[in-house]
Amino acid sequence: MAILKLENGTLYQDLPEITRELASLNIQLNQWNVGSDRQLYPLLAQESLNEDEKEQVLQALDGYFEQLQQTAGYQSRDLIVLHPGIPNLDELLAKFAQIHTHADDEVRYIIDGEAVFGFVRPDGSQVELTVQPQEYINVPANTEHWFHLTPAKRVKAVRYFISTEGWVPQYTAREIRIPQAVG
Ligand SMILES: [Fe+2]
């Protein structure tokens, strides 16, 4: 289940409360089950995946991609696999750790590990949402946000794209006020 943190440290773990706190951002947060494909579970448990294994995972979950293709014109999907064994992990993540926007929605389906999305709400307040396995998130285009991992530094997420150009980060130069965990 997702966890939402406010600037004053208040934590929300109930979906109705989280939905209320995110309402002004029009963020979609859904529970998406990974299903019962037995071959999927050992792959999700692995720290890293080769290209064939990634494709196997994507195909097992393509029912969701087909829905997005049909209802919202999505064109492609890939699987991002991050873990502490990646030598340039911090460098890869640094690009998204500062507040930025994209011209397209940022659409992710977390299937292993966890990821933190920070948001600037329309009133200027900031919140951080920890997204956990079997949760789908759609961050609307032009939402000021940032992204980092939890201290475990491990996530597998399907990314869905309308166009790959649309989600190049545009930095807004605003400072993150939520205290960041060290490490
Ligand atoms: Fe982003």
Side-chain angles (χ1 to χ4, degrees), residues 11-157:
L11 295 178
Y12 291 111
Q13 304 202 48
D14 292 335
L15 195 56
E17 288 176 323
I18 293 173
T19 305
R20 182 195 68 212
E21 292 295 325
L22 296 179
S24 60
L25 292 162
N26 294 315
I27 286 167
Q28 279 180 52
L29 180 66
N30 299 336
Q31 302 282 318
W32 277 10
N33 199 294
V34 295
S36 54
D37 183 340
R38 281 206 194 162
Q39 291 174 341
L40 189 56
Y41 290 90
L43 293 172
L44 294 180
Q46 280 176 220
E47 188 173 66
S48 65
L49 297 173
N50 64 32
E51 291 308 310
D52 287 347
E53 290 167 334
K54 283 185 186 177
E55 193 52 36
Q56 212 180 318
V57 169
L58 285 166
Q59 284 179 13
L61 302 169
D62 265 350
Y64 292 120
F65 177 49
E66 283 158 23
Q67 277 178 25
L68 290 171
Q69 281 181 301
Q70 285 159 17
T71 61
Y74 276 75
Q75 302 285 345
S76 63
R77 86 294 189 249
D78 68 10
L79 179 66
I80 186 153
V81 178
L82 301 177
H83 58 85
I86 296 178
N88 58 342
L89 180 63
D90 291 340
E91 208 178 302
L92 283 172
L93 290 168
K95 211 169 145 187
F96 303 106
Q98 297 303 315
I99 296 180
H100 63 275
T101 63
H102 306 283
D104 278 352
D105 295 2
E106 181 165 324
V107 184
R108 302 287 182 265
Y109 175 28
I110 308 296
I111 53 175
D112 175 60
E114 50 190 12
V116 180
F117 290 83
F119 303 108
V120 181
R121 295 191 287 195
D123 67 0
S125 62
Q126 299 184 2
V127 295
E128 270 189 351
L129 181 70
T130 303
V131 183
Q132 296 190 318
Q134 311 199 58
E135 292 179 335
Y136 160 92
I137 185 167
N138 180 320
V139 180
N142 304 313
T143 303
E144 282 189 81
H145 68 280
W146 66 95
F147 176 89
H148 59 85
L149 297 182
T150 56
K153 296 188 175 184
R154 173 166 166 153
V155 74
K156 292 186 186 68

